[in-house]
Amino acid sequence: MSLQTNPRNPWSHLKRALALGRAGDFSGALEIVSGLRYHPDLAPDDAARVASQLRRQQDLQGGISKIHQPMELMANREGHWLPPFRVMETGQDAPKPYPPTLALPGLTGQNNDYWPYHQAAAGLAVGVEMRLLLAYAVEDLQSCSGFLESVARQQPGVSVQLRLFAPGQTGKVNSALAHWGLEGEICDQPLLSAEAQALLQQSAAQVDLVALLSGAVVLDPGALVRAAHLGRVSDLMVQPLVTMSPEVSCNTPYAVKSAPGVFRSRFPFRELTGLNMVVPSALWRRVGGCDPEFEAPHMAARALGFQCFNLGAYFSPLLVPATPSDVPKASSRDQERFRQRCPNNWDRPADGLYEVPKVSIYIPAYNASKYIEQAVDSVLGQDFMDLEVCIGNDGSTDGTCDLLERSFGDEPRVRWINLRNGGIGHASNQAILASRGLYVGQLDSDDRLTPGAVRRLVDVLDQNPDLACAYGSCERVDAQGRYLQDEYSWLHFSRQKMMITSIAHHFRMFRRANWERTSRFRTDIRNAVDYDIFLKLAETGRFQHIDEILYQRRWHGDNTSNVNEGFQTGNTYRVQREALARQGLSRYWDVHVGDPSLPRRVGYKRKVTTPRVMFWPNYSRANPYQKLLYKQVMETHEVIAAPIEEAVRAVELVPEITPPIFHLHWTNFLFAGAKSRVEARLRIRTFLKQLNRFKDLGGRVVWTIHNTLSHDTPYVELEKSLSKRLVDMADVVHFHAAASVPEVQAVFPIPDQKIRIAPHGHYSGVYADYITRETARATLGIAEDEDVILFLGQVRPYKGVGQLIQSFRTLLADFPKARLVIAGAVHDDFWSTVSPALTEPEQARVLTTDRFLDETEMQVFFRAADIAAFPYRNILTSGSLLLSLSFGVPTVVPRLGMTAEVLEGSDGGILYDPTEDGALKAALRKGLHAKRTGHLPQMQEAALKAGQQMEWVNLGAVLFDHI
């Protein structure tokens, strides 16, 4: 086949990018433009101007760039989500000249880790309505009626095209549609027929998502909106429907993170139990829909799933109340089809010749007639048969195509595509896109594989499902194939070493899925093309080096790396800078060559204008507080999570002109797991010694005081003594509220000149918030006329939940439809403090989850609530109050320093005196009475306003820049 467009014409690619932008595909458009940044036929600003035009168009349309590469979560160029922090790992050595203080971000989105995409989706506001094609296979009228009822009750927010496949039942199904007030097309064809699949493929171009459903499936009211919300963030998210687990306490379909063991295997597509899934339209069109030759729906689903999996897709469960439970045994024909077409070592343990090969060896070829036959023969001669050779013939003019036809025209395992000349990156991309294997191996047209090379790397990848790439070592041979020497070989892979030089030696084999999660080979540079792609692959998963000679690199003087040596150094710097940008590092670091006479000895150097802040402990996985706290300051400061010993080590290794800052948060981590007072005292002594060393090296110390003392601490006197020492050593002591200062000073003194106030900000736009009140209450089984009081968070002794229950029970006489919802993991026997014990009718009015809530689940409880209550006994800063206000929920809280600063004079909550008997009960009564009198909407509006007034400030100006 031939490609008609000229791959070397950058203007044709820019034109295509603009067309994609007009169609709303900003991700694809910006990816094209990014891949042209260094094109020799473009002026330096040409690509940048087109990118700016696309981003303006994107802003006008309210669109977003979807995430197709996991490291985009770290770069976060559009600021829609909160990326994870980089962490200085304890005791990690860096190879020279890699700077030991350059902490790389952790790998994210590995294998089937879909949760980072859920976190990213949470930051997206409800925007343009998603279009969904809902294709349902009718099995019986009763199941169909139940399904249609659940569709009729869906929460608004998704544009649905309903298409039912009901051979021989069109009349009855049409009546069922009319009964539920729905419109849809009925097809007198099975869903798995070739005609139906062709129809779906045609319709898929007009929608954003394709949902395949069948049989006795029941959707909760928020199912389609939930699927659409996640679908907005990436075209790699396949969402199979999964029945909610009865093992999860007070389960909701939003508790995806808590779903036990779903899609955690190395081959998640094998877990599919039927044709019940939501697939992004772009992905559906790439795979071509379901294979109509499969008889059983679950086998067709698994085959479809394999194709999505191999294109880099993630499988995130879409929890619903019911899906078909029976999975019939597949016929022997279906099992054989699956084995032939879906290579994996569980279903295909034996080597052999199969319809779809397990391994694809790709070869980019340009005027390769001299050696390419030997290259291909070295693959076909392997002791491994389950493979194919895919050749991208890059416009050769020396008879390469004729040679391939003569030598391999009758060899089914060798395929090639004839391309217009576009360079090695273009030929490599096209060859891989034409391949079908699970694993992809790289072979240059003038080189050879050694015997056993393919099997060796296949075995490594089979045994290590977390690997993105396995690679061996290489020897150099002359034009006649005679040994010359072993090539450079770095024994063990490390991302740090890879950042300064390419150590992914030939022979290299990577997972196709991981390659699909990159921006593929660059086509705008002549050299360093391989280095660039393996830097990208190293950001998607782990690498492993096999120190065995698996490849022969032919050295004949016309090698691409030799001919283009003049471009190698400059392009190396380019791809290294691209790696910095992808990982969110370019604002802090740049490529650095210490010795100009050794231009290939590359390291990195911090931009001296960027001060460094190292904070600890890092609690950002469980709470977005620290990500929000540092969000603004990260524009001007390099913020890294680092324990004090690593902060000291960093400054010792690389002294800094700008004083580094150690920002201490909670001190409870020092006591966690301490088995005795002696051990706790030793930990304190060690910490303070390291902190003193940090100061001796010129560092500055900031301490944010979150609590007067740690909640439930067993070492009160030790912690008081530690706090006094920390105050002495700190350059700045930070509070979130001025009213909290006197309370702390009553326990240990703090000089006024050290005190800084930077308020705790709100959580608006951080947690998913697309569920309606009606859907939230239906999800929790709460009637619309019930009066709901919510406590949300971990239940600990200092939070006063027992007192809340005592007060709540006294309200039931006047508010018989009141309900108390306690949402969170329980770490306190609060029931024992309730006396007398609740009666059975009283217990029926209390709903307790007793488990950690998923972040996506927060909206369910807040949107179901009328008011929230947090009767803490002692608290300096209430993040729960600000979270509640961020959802616009009026909140009952004790009048303490910080809570009074937020709510005094506002109608957005009710403050009460915690020392006054009956005050909590009166405050709760006041909140419920406001609902009864119609005043609650005004309170909700005031709550939202009070929350939004609590802005996060730039810590640089308040805490860091003047110490």
Side-chain angles (χ1 to χ4, degrees), residues 112-268:
N112 196 45
D113 181 13
Y114 50 75
W115 188 245
Y117 291 82
H118 281 266
Q119 293 177 308
L124 301 179
V126 177
V128 178
E129 195 172 59
M130 294 282 281
R131 302 162 301 167
L132 185 144
L133 173 61
L134 189 53
Y136 177 73
V138 178
E139 294 180 1
D140 60 81
L141 196 59
Q142 183 177 354
S143 295
C144 178
S145 182
F147 165 71
L148 292 176
E149 178 183 3
S150 67
V151 172
R153 293 177 177 174
Q154 286 298 297
Q155 174 183 319
V158 180
S159 173
V160 177
Q161 296 180 27
L162 182 58
R163 184 161 285 159
L164 296 97
F165 295 87
Q169 304 181 72
T170 55
K172 294 179 179 179
V173 171
N174 193 48
S175 298
L177 276 173
H179 175 76
W180 293 111
L182 296 171
E183 294 183 359
E185 295 184 30
I186 305 173
C187 303
D188 193 18
Q189 295 286 343
L191 178 58
L192 278 180
S193 66
E195 295 83 357
Q197 290 303 306
L199 182 62
L200 291 180
Q201 188 72 353
Q202 181 181 2
S203 302
Q206 310 303 318
V207 297
D208 302 297
L209 299 169
V210 176
L212 300 177
L213 302 176
S214 60
V217 61
V218 176
L219 307 175
D220 64 276
L224 297 185
V225 170
R226 194 164 61 251
H229 192 71
L230 183 60
R232 287 182 67 205
V233 83
S234 178
D235 284 335
L236 294 180
M237 303 307 300
V238 175
Q239 300 178 67
L241 274 63
V242 174
T243 303
M244 293 160 55
S245 172
E247 300 172 7
V248 178
S249 173
C250 191
N251 202 1
T252 79
Y254 298 79
V256 178
K257 201 174 182 180
S258 303
V262 181
F263 303 119
R264 301 298 184 192
S265 69
R266 67 174 64 183
F267 300 122

Side-chain angles (χ1 to χ4, degrees), residues 933-952:
T933 59
H935 185 58
L936 188 61
Q938 294 173 254
M939 293 186 68
Q940 291 170 333
E941 185 177 341
L944 190 61
K945 182 178 179 180
Q948 291 175 342
Q949 287 176 344
M950 300 299 294
E951 294 286 350
W952 297 93

